Amino acid sequence: MEKKKPKNVFVEGAISSEFIGTSIAKHQTKTSIGAHNIFLGQVRADEIDGKVITGIDYTAYEEMANQKFHEIREATFERFDLTCMHIYHSLGKVQAGEICLFVFVSSPKRKVVFEALEFVVEAIKSDVPVFGKEIFEDQTHQWKQNT
């Protein structure tokens, strides 16, 4: 696999089902693919100290974050036999119930897509400088803890 330059993986606001569907549809005619796996990170309406989260406002050090996403992508392709991978993350406000992270991997083999997806999502959660401010019903906020 040839090395690619970092690309912008950020989407302003929620990641729509149309965006996800279009990204997946691009691969349905590739006959070398035997399996796809998808991770959709969705904003939860958690209750914290008696207050319900209505959304998360995401921010990032974009250049640094795009570089880190690129490094994760390259490391994943080196480690796993993948045909393709898409990673997109929201910036800005995303309401509870909406998608904020979309990861899609494809491979000739089924087992690979499960292992690769777990590797990618864990790397994103631990290494990428994306921060979320949880917004509560009363418009107060707190910085999100990665879980």
Side-chain angles (χ1 to χ4, degrees):
M1 168 111 315
E2 79 178 51
K3 300 272 186 192
K4 295 182 178 183
K5 288 191 234 177
K7 69 175 193 166
N8 182 17
V9 302
F10 291 109
V11 173
E12 191 62 36
I15 301 171
S16 71
S17 57
E18 293 80 15
F19 182 89
I20 294 166
T22 299
S23 297
I24 294 168
K26 293 177 188 177
H27 303 286
Q28 67 189 30
T29 60
K30 294 184 180 180
T31 58
S32 63
I33 295 173
H36 304 285
N37 202 0
I38 301 164
F39 176 84
L40 300 175
Q42 181 172 314
V43 174
R44 294 184 312 266
D46 286 346
E47 185 177 319
I48 300 173
D49 297 329
K51 298 191 289 186
V52 176
I53 295 170
T54 60
I56 298 178
D57 190 2
Y58 288 100
T59 187
Y61 297 113
E62 288 187 55
E63 187 175 327
M64 186 186 304
N66 278 315
Q67 179 61 40
K68 190 49 95 172
F69 277 117
H70 176 74
E71 290 169 12
I72 292 168
R73 178 183 168 76
E74 293 298 309
T76 306
F77 271 106
E78 286 177 23
R79 185 171 177 166
F80 300 97
D81 179 23
L82 295 179
T83 306
C84 71
M85 176 190 324
H86 295 278
I87 303 172
Y88 293 99
H89 199 295
S90 293
L91 282 184
K93 191 152 186 191
V94 180
Q95 300 298 326
E98 294 180 323
I99 303 300
C100 58
L101 176 61
F102 167 45
V103 181
F104 173 75
V105 295
S106 301
S107 174
K109 302 291 182 185
R110 170 189 52 81
K111 187 174 182 179
V112 171
V113 296
F114 292 107
E115 294 169 351
L117 191 64
E118 179 73 16
F119 176 82
V120 170
V121 172
E122 290 302 320
I124 290 169
K125 292 301 247 176
S126 66
D127 297 341
V128 179
V130 173
F131 309 98
K133 189 187 310 179
E134 295 170 317
I135 311 297
F136 297 101
E137 293 170 307
D138 64 1
Q139 298 307 303
T140 59
H141 66 272
Q142 73 177 18
W143 289 101
K144 180 177 179 355
Q145 301 292 319
N146 273 344
T147 56

